[in-house]
Amino acid sequence: CLGSVVMDHTFHVQEVVQPPSKNRATSYALGAGGLAANASIAVSRLGGNCIFWGRVGDDLNGTPLLEALAAQGVDVSHCRRAPNARTPVSAVLVDPVGERSIFAYRGDNLGTDPAWLPLHLLDKAQAFLCDPRWPEGSAAALDYARARGIPTVIDGEKSETRLLLDLIPRVDHAVFSQPGLGNYAPGLKPADALRKAIADGCKVAAVTRGEKGTLWMTAEDQTPRVTPAFRVMATNTTGAGDVFHGAYALAVAEGQPIDRVMRFASAAGALRARDGATPDRAMLEQLLRDQPG
Ligand code: ADP
């Protein structure tokens, strides 16, 4: 998994009433956030082996972040520390129904040179998950993986149109958030935007839509399909999309059929939204049994 990590400072807010001074924080937690951190932890907790490639600043947030990932079984030995740079941090406010507002400080530029990426590590990978926030590294790693037939998955999140247009044709599985799909194909209806990704060379294109479930299609059969969301009581939806992506990449690595990949990832996202924590494999398998498709 290649991508960005953030130190999340999460506050659960009891009431959301204007003016904001009436808000009451009922709990506070510090933890690893950002797509690559959440997705890597999901892979590891769901029983996969995950190497995370990324960069942190050489500061007080960087070390605990890598330690938090390592404590969950993620291999961080290939990460880089950028000297004299600050790690991105964010404040996450979670309201009583689990929806969140995020105030992010993106940190310093941690460098963009992909030359340090130990691409040969991909030779043994069963799947590669890529966060598009680091364009040069993503393009180099996606091309390397594709040339070797290693399945690639991208989180088409809120990145710029230009970046998505460059990266989407390089991947097998384009899994968008709703804003990401809008940026990739402005003005197109979701099913048409997914068709565009297929025409650009993806084997599978999907968009996650929270409680409305996942809309997806394959290159063989360009029929839009919906995998419904699992019914859960959401308490904190932060990271649901990231955990969805981690579980998705693991299911691809395990060679699961595509409809099962969608259900597996949806169950992981739902449990994350329900618990505000990443599920383990037994919890996920239980939900798949409890709510059969
Ligand atoms: P993001 O976090 O990127 O905005 P989504 O909100 O679409 O992404 O969530 C990703 C996936 O997690 C959804 O497709 C769905 O499967 C699951 N999920 C998220 N929120 C809920 C919810 N409230 N109930 C059930 N499943 C959810």
Side-chain angles (χ1 to χ4, degrees), residues 100 177 208-211 213-214 229-230 232 234 237 240-241 244 266 269-270 273:
R100 76 283 184 183
S177 64
T208 67
R209 305 175 306 168
E211 287 169 283
T214 305
F230 286 79
V232 294
T237 56
F244 184 102
S266 300

Side-chain angles (χ1 to χ4, degrees), residues 29-287:
L30 195 61
L35 164 71
N38 289 330
S40 298
I41 290 172
V43 171
S44 185
R45 283 187 61 77
L46 292 170
N49 294 317
C50 182
I51 298 177
F52 165 61
W53 286 345
R55 296 154 306 169
V56 295
D58 192 11
D59 63 357
L60 282 175
N61 283 305
T63 303
L65 252 177
L66 294 186
E67 284 173 359
L69 287 163
Q72 296 285 347
V74 177
D75 180 348
V76 294
S77 58
H78 303 279
C79 288
R80 276 289 166 104
R81 272 162 196 275
N84 304 319
R86 278 166 297 179
T87 304
V89 291
S90 63
V92 184
L93 298 187
V94 185
D95 75 13
V97 293
E99 287 302 331
R100 76 283 184 183
S101 316
I102 299 180
F103 305 93
Y105 166 66
R106 291 198 173 273
D108 293 326
N109 184 347
L110 300 178
T112 54
D113 181 4
W116 68 268
L117 277 175
L119 291 175
H120 65 275
L121 290 174
L122 281 171
D123 294 346
K124 290 190 189 147
Q126 305 314 128
F128 172 51
L129 173 63
C130 175
D131 165 358
R133 288 226 190 116
W134 181 21
E136 298 83 352
S138 302
L142 285 169
D143 291 348
Y144 185 96
R146 187 167 248 191
R148 286 157 184 81
I150 297 150
T152 52
V153 182
I154 199 166
D155 179 0
E157 42 139 32
K158 289 174 244 164
S159 302
E160 297 161 38
T161 304
R162 179 186 52 81
L163 186 60
L164 290 170
L165 288 175
D166 177 44
L167 293 179
I168 295 300
R170 301 169 190 259
V171 299
D172 300 326
H173 298 256
V175 184
F176 294 94
S177 64
Q178 293 186 93
L181 189 63
N183 288 353
Y184 167 63
L188 289 190
K189 290 188 180 140
D192 292 333
L194 296 182
R195 269 191 204 98
K196 172 175 164 52
I198 298 288
D200 277 351
C202 298
K203 293 180 184 155
V204 181
V207 56
T208 67
R209 305 175 306 168
E211 287 169 283
K212 287 196 284 169
T214 305
L215 179 71
W216 57 277
M217 68 177 62
T218 63
E220 290 98 60
D221 159 14
Q222 295 184 22
T223 310
R225 296 177 196 284
V226 174
T227 298
F230 286 79
R231 294 178 304 282
V232 294
M233 189 74 82
T235 62
N236 181 358
T237 56
T238 314
D242 303 341
V243 168
F244 184 102
H245 281 85
Y248 188 108
L250 176 62
V252 167
E254 290 178 354
Q256 297 189 32
I258 193 64
D259 51 345
R260 164 114 187 148
V261 169
M262 296 293 169
R263 265 179 57 77
F264 188 87
S266 300
L271 289 169
R272 170 74 180 207
R274 186 188 74 184
D275 300 339
T278 305
D280 63 21
R281 186 71 175 237
M283 291 164 71
L284 191 151
E285 299 287 356
Q286 185 65 49
L287 185 62

